[in-house]
Coordinates of all heavy atoms in Angstrom, one line a residue:
M1 N 13.5 57.7 -54.1 CA 13.6 58.2 -52.8 C 14.1 59.6 -52.6 O 14.1 60.1 -51.6 CB 14.5 57.2 -52.0 CG 13.9 55.8 -51.9 SD 14.3 54.7 -50.5 CE 15.4 55.7 -49.5
G2 N 14.4 60.1 -53.8 CA 14.6 61.6 -53.8 C 15.8 62.0 -53.0 O 16.9 61.6 -53.1
L3 N 15.5 63.0 -52.1 CA 16.6 63.6 -51.3 C 17.2 62.7 -50.3 O 18.3 63.0 -49.8 CB 16.0 64.9 -50.6 CG 15.6 66.0 -51.5 CD1 14.9 67.1 -50.7 CD2 16.7 66.6 -52.3
L4 N 16.6 61.6 -50.0 CA 17.2 60.7 -49.1 C 18.4 60.0 -49.6 O 19.2 59.4 -48.9 CB 16.2 59.6 -48.6 CG 15.0 60.1 -47.7 CD1 14.1 58.9 -47.4 CD2 15.7 60.5 -46.4
E5 N 18.6 60.1 -50.9 CA 19.8 59.5 -51.5 C 21.0 60.3 -51.3 O 22.2 59.7 -51.2 CB 19.6 59.4 -53.1 CG 18.5 58.4 -53.5 CD 18.8 57.0 -53.2 OE1 19.9 56.6 -53.1 OE2 17.8 56.2 -53.0
F6 N 20.9 61.6 -51.0 CA 22.1 62.4 -50.8 C 22.9 62.1 -49.5 O 24.1 62.0 -49.5 CB 21.8 63.9 -50.9 CG 21.5 64.4 -52.3 CD1 20.2 64.6 -52.6 CD2 22.5 64.5 -53.2 CE1 19.8 65.0 -54.0 CE2 22.2 64.9 -54.5 CZ 20.9 65.1 -54.9
P7 N 22.2 61.9 -48.3 CA 22.9 61.5 -47.2 C 23.6 60.1 -47.3 O 24.7 59.9 -46.8 CB 21.8 61.3 -46.1 CG 20.7 62.2 -46.6 CD 20.7 62.1 -48.1
L8 N 23.1 59.2 -48.1 CA 23.8 58.0 -48.3 C 25.1 58.2 -49.0 O 26.1 57.6 -48.7 CB 22.9 57.1 -49.3 CG 23.6 55.7 -49.7 CD1 23.9 54.9 -48.5 CD2 22.7 55.1 -50.8
R9 N 25.1 59.1 -50.0 CA 26.4 59.4 -50.7 C 27.4 60.0 -49.7 O 28.6 59.5 -49.8 CB 26.2 60.4 -51.8 CG 25.3 59.7 -53.0 CD 25.1 60.7 -54.1 NE 24.2 60.1 -55.1 CZ 23.5 60.8 -55.9 NH1 23.5 62.1 -55.8 NH2 22.8 60.2 -56.7
I10 N 27.1 60.8 -48.9 CA 28.0 61.5 -48.0 C 28.5 60.3 -47.0 O 29.7 60.2 -46.8 CB 27.4 62.6 -47.2 CG1 27.0 63.8 -48.2 CG2 28.2 63.1 -46.1 CD1 26.1 64.7 -47.6
V11 N 27.6 59.5 -46.5 CA 28.0 58.5 -45.5 C 29.0 57.5 -46.3 O 29.9 57.1 -45.7 CB 26.8 57.8 -44.9 CG1 27.2 56.6 -44.1 CG2 26.1 58.8 -44.0
M12 N 28.6 57.1 -47.4 CA 29.4 56.1 -48.2 C 30.7 56.6 -48.6 O 31.7 55.8 -48.5 CB 28.6 55.6 -49.4 CG 27.3 54.8 -49.0 SD 27.6 53.5 -47.9 CE 27.5 52.1 -49.1
I13 N 30.9 57.8 -48.9 CA 32.2 58.4 -49.2 C 33.1 58.4 -48.0 O 34.2 58.0 -48.0 CB 32.0 59.8 -49.8 CG1 31.4 59.8 -51.2 CG2 33.4 60.5 -49.8 CD1 31.1 61.1 -51.8
F14 N 32.5 58.7 -46.9 CA 33.3 58.8 -45.6 C 33.7 57.3 -45.3 O 34.8 57.0 -45.0 CB 32.5 59.4 -44.4 CG 33.1 59.2 -43.1 CD1 34.1 59.9 -42.8 CD2 32.6 58.2 -42.3 CE1 34.7 59.7 -41.5 CE2 33.2 58.0 -41.0 CZ 34.2 58.8 -40.6
L15 N 32.7 56.3 -45.3 CA 33.1 55.0 -45.0 C 34.1 54.4 -46.0 O 35.0 53.6 -45.6 CB 31.8 54.1 -45.0 CG 30.8 54.5 -43.8 CD1 29.6 53.7 -43.9 CD2 31.5 54.1 -42.4
S16 N 34.0 54.7 -47.2 CA 34.9 54.2 -48.2 C 36.3 54.8 -48.0 O 37.3 54.0 -48.1 CB 34.5 54.7 -49.6 OG 33.2 54.2 -49.9
Y17 N 36.4 56.0 -47.6 CA 37.7 56.6 -47.3 C 38.3 56.0 -46.1 O 39.5 55.6 -46.1 CB 37.6 58.1 -47.1 CG 38.9 58.7 -46.7 CD1 39.9 58.9 -47.6 CD2 39.1 59.2 -45.4 CE1 41.2 59.5 -47.2 CE2 40.3 59.7 -45.0 CZ 41.3 59.9 -45.9 OH 42.5 60.4 -45.5
K18 N 37.6 55.8 -45.0 CA 38.0 55.1 -43.8 C 38.3 53.7 -44.1 O 39.3 53.0 -43.5 CB 37.1 55.2 -42.7 CG 36.8 56.6 -42.2 CD 38.0 57.3 -41.6 CE 38.0 56.9 -40.2 NZ 39.1 57.6 -39.4
G19 N 37.6 53.0 -45.0 CA 37.8 51.7 -45.4 C 39.1 51.3 -46.1 O 39.5 50.2 -46.3
L20 N 39.8 52.4 -46.6 CA 41.1 52.1 -47.2 C 42.1 51.6 -46.2 O 43.0 51.0 -46.6 CB 41.6 53.5 -47.8 CG 40.8 54.0 -49.0 CD1 41.3 55.4 -49.4 CD2 41.0 53.1 -50.2
K21 N 41.9 51.8 -44.9 CA 42.8 51.4 -43.9 C 42.1 50.3 -43.0 O 42.9 49.6 -42.3 CB 43.3 52.5 -43.1 CG 44.1 53.5 -43.8 CD 44.8 54.5 -42.9 CE 45.7 55.4 -43.7 NZ 46.4 56.4 -42.9
N22 N 40.9 50.1 -43.0 CA 40.2 49.2 -42.1 C 38.9 48.6 -42.8 O 38.0 49.4 -43.1 CB 39.8 50.0 -40.8 CG 39.4 49.0 -39.8 OD1 38.9 47.9 -40.0 ND2 39.3 49.5 -38.5
Y23 N 39.0 47.3 -43.0 CA 37.8 46.7 -43.7 C 36.5 46.8 -42.9 O 35.4 46.7 -43.5 CB 38.1 45.2 -43.9 CG 39.0 44.9 -45.1 CD1 40.0 43.9 -45.0 CD2 38.9 45.6 -46.3 CE1 40.8 43.6 -46.1 CE2 39.7 45.4 -47.4 CZ 40.6 44.4 -47.3 OH 41.5 44.1 -48.3
N24 N 36.6 47.1 -41.6 CA 35.3 47.2 -40.9 C 34.5 48.4 -41.4 O 33.2 48.2 -41.4 CB 35.6 47.3 -39.4 CG 36.2 46.0 -38.8 OD1 35.9 45.0 -39.3 ND2 36.9 46.2 -37.7
Y25 N 35.1 49.4 -41.8 CA 34.3 50.5 -42.3 C 33.6 50.1 -43.7 O 32.5 50.5 -44.0 CB 35.2 51.7 -42.6 CG 35.6 52.4 -41.3 CD1 36.9 52.2 -40.8 CD2 34.7 53.2 -40.6 CE1 37.3 52.8 -39.6 CE2 35.1 53.8 -39.4 CZ 36.4 53.5 -38.9 OH 36.8 54.2 -37.8
I26 N 34.3 49.3 -44.5 CA 33.6 48.8 -45.7 C 32.4 47.9 -45.3 O 31.3 48.0 -46.0 CB 34.6 48.0 -46.5 CG1 35.8 48.9 -47.0 CG2 33.9 47.4 -47.8 CD1 35.5 50.0 -47.9
A27 N 32.6 47.1 -44.3 CA 31.5 46.2 -43.8 C 30.3 47.0 -43.4 O 29.1 46.8 -43.7 CB 32.0 45.2 -42.7
I28 N 30.6 48.1 -42.6 CA 29.5 49.0 -42.1 C 28.8 49.6 -43.3 O 27.6 49.8 -43.4 CB 30.1 50.1 -41.1 CG1 30.5 49.3 -39.9 CG2 29.1 51.1 -40.8 CD1 31.5 50.2 -39.0
G29 N 29.6 50.0 -44.4 CA 29.0 50.6 -45.6 C 28.1 49.6 -46.2 O 27.0 50.0 -46.7
W30 N 28.4 48.3 -46.2 CA 27.5 47.4 -46.8 C 26.2 47.3 -46.0 O 25.1 47.1 -46.5 CB 28.1 46.0 -47.0 CG 29.0 45.9 -48.2 CD1 30.3 45.8 -48.3 CD2 28.5 45.9 -49.5 NE1 30.7 45.8 -49.5 CE2 29.6 45.8 -50.4 CE3 27.3 46.0 -50.2 CZ2 29.6 45.9 -51.8 CZ3 27.2 46.0 -51.5 CH2 28.4 45.9 -52.3
L31 N 26.3 47.3 -44.7 CA 25.1 47.3 -43.8 C 24.3 48.5 -44.0 O 23.0 48.5 -44.0 CB 25.5 47.2 -42.4 CG 26.2 45.8 -42.0 CD1 26.6 45.7 -40.6 CD2 25.3 44.7 -42.3
V32 N 24.9 49.7 -44.2 CA 24.1 51.0 -44.5 C 23.4 50.8 -45.8 O 22.3 51.2 -46.0 CB 25.1 52.2 -44.4 CG1 24.4 53.4 -45.0 CG2 25.6 52.5 -43.1
H33 N 24.1 50.2 -46.8 CA 23.5 50.0 -48.1 C 22.3 49.0 -48.0 O 21.3 49.2 -48.7 CB 24.5 49.5 -49.1 CG 24.1 49.4 -50.5 ND1 23.6 48.3 -51.1 CD2 24.0 50.4 -51.4 CE1 23.3 48.6 -52.3 NE2 23.6 49.9 -52.5
T34 N 22.4 48.1 -47.1 CA 21.3 47.1 -46.9 C 20.0 47.9 -46.4 O 18.9 47.6 -46.8 CB 21.7 46.1 -45.9 OG1 22.8 45.4 -46.3 CG2 20.5 45.1 -45.6
V35 N 20.3 48.9 -45.5 CA 19.1 49.7 -45.0 C 18.4 50.4 -46.2 O 17.2 50.4 -46.3 CB 19.6 50.6 -43.8 CG1 18.5 51.6 -43.5 CG2 20.1 49.8 -42.7
Y36 N 19.3 51.0 -47.0 CA 18.7 51.7 -48.1 C 18.0 50.8 -49.2 O 17.0 51.1 -49.8 CB 19.8 52.5 -48.8 CG 19.9 53.9 -48.3 CD1 20.6 54.1 -47.1 CD2 19.3 55.0 -48.9 CE1 20.7 55.4 -46.5 CE2 19.4 56.3 -48.3 CZ 20.1 56.5 -47.2 OH 20.2 57.7 -46.6
D37 N 18.5 49.6 -49.3 CA 17.9 48.6 -50.1 C 16.5 48.2 -49.6 O 15.5 48.2 -50.4 CB 18.6 47.3 -50.3 CG 19.9 47.4 -51.1 OD1 19.9 48.3 -52.0 OD2 20.9 46.7 -50.9
L38 N 16.4 48.1 -48.3 CA 15.1 47.8 -47.7 C 14.2 48.9 -47.9 O 12.9 48.8 -48.0 CB 15.3 47.4 -46.2 CG 16.0 46.1 -46.0 CD1 16.3 45.8 -44.5 CD2 15.1 44.9 -46.5
L39 N 14.7 50.2 -47.7 CA 13.8 51.4 -47.8 C 13.3 51.4 -49.3 O 12.1 51.8 -49.5 CB 14.6 52.7 -47.5 CG 14.9 52.9 -46.0 CD1 15.9 54.1 -45.9 CD2 13.6 53.1 -45.3
H40 N 14.2 51.1 -50.3 CA 13.8 51.1 -51.6 C 12.7 50.0 -51.8 O 11.7 50.2 -52.5 CB 14.9 50.7 -52.6 CG 15.6 52.0 -53.1 ND1 15.1 52.6 -54.2 CD2 16.7 52.5 -52.8 CE1 16.0 53.6 -54.4 NE2 17.0 53.6 -53.6
H41 N 12.8 48.8 -51.2 CA 11.9 47.8 -51.4 C 10.5 48.2 -50.8 O 9.5 47.9 -51.4 CB 12.4 46.5 -50.7 CG 11.5 45.3 -50.8 ND1 11.3 44.7 -52.0 CD2 10.7 44.7 -49.9 CE1 10.4 43.7 -51.9 NE2 10.1 43.7 -50.6
F42 N 10.5 48.7 -49.6 CA 9.2 48.9 -48.9 C 8.5 50.3 -49.3 O 7.4 50.4 -49.3 CB 9.4 48.9 -47.4 CG 9.6 47.5 -47.0 CD1 10.8 47.1 -46.3 CD2 8.6 46.5 -47.2 CE1 11.0 45.8 -45.9 CE2 8.8 45.2 -46.7 CZ 10.1 44.8 -46.1
Y43 N 9.4 51.3 -49.5 CA 8.9 52.6 -49.7 C 9.2 53.4 -51.0 O 8.5 54.3 -51.5 CB 9.4 53.6 -48.6 CG 9.0 53.1 -47.2 CD1 10.0 52.6 -46.4 CD2 7.7 53.2 -46.8 CE1 9.6 52.1 -45.1 CE2 7.3 52.7 -45.5 CZ 8.3 52.2 -44.7 OH 8.0 51.8 -43.5
G44 N 10.2 52.9 -51.7 CA 10.6 53.5 -52.9 C 10.3 52.7 -54.1 O 9.4 51.9 -54.2
N45 N 11.1 52.9 -55.1 CA 11.1 52.1 -56.3 C 12.1 51.0 -56.3 O 13.2 51.2 -55.8 CB 11.3 53.1 -57.5 CG 10.3 54.1 -57.6 OD1 9.1 53.8 -57.3 ND2 10.7 55.3 -58.0
P46 N 11.8 49.9 -56.8 CA 12.8 48.8 -56.9 C 14.1 49.2 -57.7 O 13.9 50.1 -58.6 CB 12.1 47.6 -57.5 CG 10.8 48.1 -58.1 CD 10.6 49.4 -57.5
I47 N 15.2 48.7 -57.4 CA 16.4 49.0 -58.2 C 16.3 48.7 -59.6 O 16.7 49.6 -60.5 CB 17.6 48.3 -57.5 CG1 17.8 48.7 -56.1 CG2 18.9 48.5 -58.4 CD1 18.8 47.8 -55.3
V48 N 15.7 47.6 -60.0 CA 15.5 47.2 -61.4 C 14.0 47.3 -61.6 O 13.1 46.5 -61.0 CB 15.9 45.8 -61.7 CG1 15.7 45.4 -63.1 CG2 17.5 45.7 -61.4
P49 N 13.5 48.2 -62.3 CA 12.0 48.4 -62.5 C 11.2 47.2 -63.0 O 10.0 47.0 -62.6 CB 11.9 49.6 -63.5 CG 13.2 50.2 -63.5 CD 14.2 49.2 -63.1
M50 N 11.9 46.3 -63.7 CA 11.1 45.1 -64.3 C 11.0 44.1 -63.2 O 10.3 43.1 -63.4 CB 11.8 44.6 -65.5 CG 11.7 45.5 -66.8 SD 12.9 46.8 -66.9 CE 14.4 46.0 -66.7
S51 N 11.8 44.2 -62.1 CA 11.8 43.1 -61.1 C 11.5 43.8 -59.8 O 12.3 44.3 -59.1 CB 13.2 42.5 -61.0 OG 13.3 41.5 -60.1
P52 N 10.2 43.6 -59.3 CA 9.8 44.3 -58.1 C 10.6 43.9 -56.8 O 10.7 44.6 -55.9 CB 8.3 43.8 -57.9 CG 7.9 43.4 -59.3 CD 9.1 42.9 -60.0
S53 N 11.1 42.6 -56.8 CA 11.9 42.2 -55.7 C 13.4 42.4 -55.8 O 14.1 41.9 -54.9 CB 11.5 40.7 -55.4 OG 12.0 39.9 -56.4
S54 N 13.9 43.2 -56.7 CA 15.3 43.3 -56.9 C 15.9 44.0 -55.7 O 17.1 43.6 -55.3 CB 15.6 44.2 -58.2 OG 15.0 45.5 -58.1
S55 N 15.3 45.0 -55.1 CA 15.9 45.6 -53.9 C 16.0 44.7 -52.7 O 16.9 44.7 -51.9 CB 15.0 46.8 -53.5 OG 15.0 47.8 -54.5
A56 N 15.0 43.8 -52.6 CA 15.0 42.8 -51.5 C 16.1 41.8 -51.8 O 16.8 41.4 -50.8 CB 13.7 42.1 -51.4
G57 N 16.3 41.4 -53.0 CA 17.4 40.5 -53.3 C 18.8 41.1 -53.0 O 19.7 40.4 -52.5
C58 N 18.9 42.3 -53.2 CA 20.2 43.1 -52.9 C 20.3 43.2 -51.4 O 21.5 43.0 -50.9 CB 20.1 44.5 -53.6 SG 21.7 45.3 -53.7
A59 N 19.2 43.3 -50.7 CA 19.3 43.5 -49.3 C 19.7 42.1 -48.6 O 20.2 42.1 -47.5 CB 18.0 43.9 -48.7
V60 N 19.5 41.0 -49.3 CA 19.9 39.7 -48.8 C 21.4 39.5 -49.0 O 22.1 39.0 -48.2 CB 19.1 38.6 -49.5 CG1 19.6 37.2 -49.1 CG2 17.6 38.7 -49.1
C61 N 21.9 40.0 -50.2 CA 23.3 39.7 -50.5 C 24.2 40.7 -49.8 O 25.3 40.2 -49.4 CB 23.4 39.9 -52.0 SG 25.2 39.7 -52.6
D62 N 23.8 41.9 -49.5 CA 24.7 42.9 -48.9 C 25.2 42.4 -47.5 O 26.5 42.6 -47.2 CB 24.1 44.2 -48.8 CG 23.9 44.8 -50.2 OD1 24.4 44.3 -51.2 OD2 23.2 45.9 -50.3
P63 N 24.4 41.9 -46.7 CA 24.9 41.5 -45.3 C 26.0 40.4 -45.4 O 26.9 40.2 -44.6 CB 23.7 41.0 -44.5 CG 22.6 41.7 -45.2 CD 22.9 41.8 -46.6
V64 N 25.9 39.5 -46.4 CA 26.9 38.4 -46.6 C 28.2 39.1 -46.9 O 29.3 38.7 -46.4 CB 26.4 37.5 -47.8 CG1 27.5 36.5 -48.1 CG2 25.1 36.8 -47.4
L65 N 28.2 40.1 -47.8 CA 29.5 40.9 -48.1 C 30.0 41.6 -46.8 O 31.2 41.6 -46.6 CB 29.2 41.8 -49.2 CG 29.0 41.2 -50.5 CD1 28.5 42.3 -51.6 CD2 30.3 40.6 -51.1
A66 N 29.1 42.1 -46.0 CA 29.6 42.7 -44.7 C 30.2 41.7 -43.9 O 31.2 42.0 -43.3 CB 28.3 43.4 -44.1
I67 N 29.6 40.5 -43.7 CA 30.3 39.5 -42.9 C 31.7 39.2 -43.4 O 32.6 39.0 -42.6 CB 29.4 38.3 -42.8 CG1 28.1 38.6 -42.0 CG2 30.1 37.1 -42.2 CD1 27.0 37.5 -42.1
W68 N 31.8 39.1 -44.7 CA 33.1 38.7 -45.3 C 34.1 39.8 -44.9 O 35.3 39.6 -44.6 CB 32.9 38.6 -46.8 CG 34.1 38.2 -47.5 CD1 34.8 37.1 -47.5 CD2 34.8 39.0 -48.5 NE1 35.9 37.1 -48.3 CE2 35.9 38.3 -49.0 CE3 34.6 40.3 -49.1 CZ2 36.8 38.8 -49.9 CZ3 35.4 40.8 -50.0 CH2 36.5 40.0 -50.4
F69 N 33.7 41.1 -45.0 CA 34.6 42.2 -44.7 C 34.9 42.3 -43.2 O 36.1 42.6 -42.9 CB 34.1 43.6 -45.2 CG 34.4 43.8 -46.6 CD1 33.4 43.8 -47.6 CD2 35.7 44.2 -47.0 CE1 33.7 44.0 -48.9 CE2 36.0 44.4 -48.4 CZ 35.0 44.3 -49.3
F70 N 34.0 41.9 -42.4 CA 34.3 41.9 -40.9 C 35.2 40.7 -40.6 O 36.0 40.8 -39.7 CB 32.9 41.6 -40.1 CG 32.2 42.9 -39.9 CD1 30.8 43.0 -40.2 CD2 32.7 44.1 -39.3 CE1 30.1 44.1 -39.9 CE2 32.0 45.2 -39.0 CZ 30.7 45.2 -39.4
M71 N 35.3 39.7 -41.5 CA 36.2 38.6 -41.3 C 37.6 39.1 -41.8 O 38.6 38.2 -41.7 CB 35.7 37.3 -42.0 CG 34.5 36.7 -41.4 SD 33.9 35.4 -42.4 CE 35.3 34.4 -42.6
G72 N 37.7 40.2 -42.3 CA 39.1 40.7 -42.9 C 39.2 40.4 -44.4 O 40.3 40.5 -44.8
A73 N 38.2 40.1 -45.0 CA 38.1 39.9 -46.5 C 39.1 38.8 -46.9 O 40.0 39.1 -47.7 CB 38.3 41.1 -47.3
P74 N 39.0 37.6 -46.3 CA 40.0 36.5 -46.6 C 39.8 36.1 -48.1 O 38.7 36.3 -48.7 CB 39.6 35.4 -45.7 CG 38.2 35.6 -45.4 CD 38.0 37.1 -45.4
S75 N 40.9 35.7 -48.7 CA 40.8 35.2 -50.1 C 39.9 33.9 -50.2 O 40.1 33.0 -49.4 CB 42.2 34.8 -50.5 OG 42.1 34.1 -51.8
V76 N 39.0 33.9 -51.0 CA 38.1 32.8 -51.2 C 38.8 31.6 -51.7 O 38.6 30.5 -51.3 CB 36.9 33.2 -52.2 CG1 36.1 32.0 -52.5 CG2 36.2 34.4 -51.7
F77 N 39.9 31.8 -52.5 CA 40.7 30.8 -53.0 C 41.5 30.1 -52.0 O 41.6 28.8 -51.9 CB 41.6 31.3 -54.1 CG 40.9 31.9 -55.3 CD1 41.0 33.2 -55.5 CD2 40.1 31.1 -56.1 CE1 40.3 33.8 -56.6 CE2 39.5 31.5 -57.2 CZ 39.5 33.0 -57.5
E78 N 41.9 30.9 -51.0 CA 42.7 30.3 -49.8 C 41.7 29.5 -48.9 O 42.1 28.5 -48.4 CB 43.3 31.4 -49.0 CG 44.4 32.1 -49.7 CD 45.6 31.1 -50.1 OE1 46.0 30.3 -49.3 OE2 46.2 31.3 -51.1
L79 N 40.5 30.0 -48.8 CA 39.5 29.2 -48.0 C 39.3 27.8 -48.6 O 39.2 26.8 -48.0 CB 38.2 29.9 -47.8 CG 38.3 31.2 -47.0 CD1 36.9 31.9 -47.0 CD2 38.6 30.8 -45.5
F80 N 39.1 27.8 -49.9 CA 38.9 26.5 -50.6 C 40.1 25.7 -50.6 O 39.9 24.4 -50.4 CB 38.5 26.8 -52.1 CG 37.1 27.2 -52.2 CD1 36.8 28.4 -53.0 CD2 36.0 26.6 -51.6 CE1 35.5 28.8 -53.2 CE2 34.7 27.0 -51.8 CZ 34.5 28.2 -52.5
K81 N 41.2 26.2 -50.7 CA 42.5 25.4 -50.6 C 42.6 24.8 -49.1 O 42.9 23.6 -49.0 CB 43.7 26.2 -50.8 CG 43.9 26.6 -52.3 CD 45.2 27.4 -52.4 CE 45.4 27.9 -53.8 NZ 46.6 28.7 -54.0
K82 N 42.4 25.6 -48.1 CA 42.3 25.1 -46.8 C 41.3 24.0 -46.5 O 41.6 23.0 -45.9 CB 42.2 26.2 -45.8 CG 43.3 27.1 -45.6 CD 43.0 28.2 -44.7 CE 44.1 29.3 -44.7 NZ 43.9 30.4 -43.8
R83 N 40.2 24.2 -47.1 CA 39.1 23.1 -47.0 C 39.5 21.9 -47.6 O 39.3 20.8 -47.0 CB 37.9 23.7 -47.6 CG 36.7 22.8 -47.4 CD 35.4 23.4 -47.9 NE 34.3 22.7 -47.6 CZ 33.1 22.8 -48.0 NH1 32.8 23.9 -48.8 NH2 32.1 22.1 -47.7
T84 N 40.1 21.9 -48.8 CA 40.4 20.6 -49.5 C 41.6 20.0 -48.8 O 41.6 18.7 -48.7 CB 40.7 20.9 -51.0 OG1 41.7 21.8 -51.1 CG2 39.5 21.4 -51.7
F85 N 42.5 20.8 -48.3 CA 43.6 20.2 -47.5 C 43.2 19.5 -46.3 O 43.7 18.4 -46.0 CB 44.7 21.3 -47.1 CG 45.9 20.8 -46.4 CD1 46.8 20.1 -47.0 CD2 46.0 21.0 -45.1 CE1 47.9 19.6 -46.3 CE2 47.1 20.6 -44.4 CZ 48.0 19.8 -45.0
V86 N 42.2 20.0 -45.5 CA 41.7 19.4 -44.3 C 41.0 18.2 -44.7 O 41.1 17.1 -44.0 CB 40.7 20.4 -43.6 CG1 40.1 19.7 -42.4 CG2 41.6 21.6 -43.1
E87 N 40.2 18.2 -45.8 CA 39.5 17.0 -46.2 C 40.5 15.8 -46.6 O 40.1 14.6 -46.4 CB 38.6 17.3 -47.4 CG 37.4 18.2 -47.0 CD 36.7 18.6 -48.2 OE1 37.0 18.2 -49.3 OE2 35.7 19.3 -48.1
L88 N 41.6 16.1 -47.0 CA 42.6 15.1 -47.4 C 43.2 14.4 -46.2 O 43.7 13.3 -46.3 CB 43.7 15.7 -48.3 CG 43.2 16.2 -49.7 CD1 44.4 16.8 -50.4 CD2 42.7 15.1 -50.5
Q89 N 43.2 15.0 -45.1 CA 43.9 14.4 -43.9 C 43.0 13.4 -43.3 O 42.0 13.2 -43.0 CB 44.2 15.6 -42.9 CG 45.3 16.4 -43.4 CD 45.7 17.5 -42.3 OE1 45.0 17.6 -41.3 NE2 46.7 18.2 -42.6

């Protein structure tokens, strides 16, 4: 994708820096990354050359991570503990 990769770096560095204090910026970064994954899938080269759908697969996973960060990045272990505790009642 050539020169279009440079704006991504600038935006991601900014979002990463802001994300040190607020997870919402990290979540936005994952959504921005999703857009670039889709651009790679439709217009550029796949992330893994041997797997033509690798960029699309990445675009499916990234929004899930964004949702997790929008939720405040809760501990997965705590979620499982709460779930099993509720099931026992």
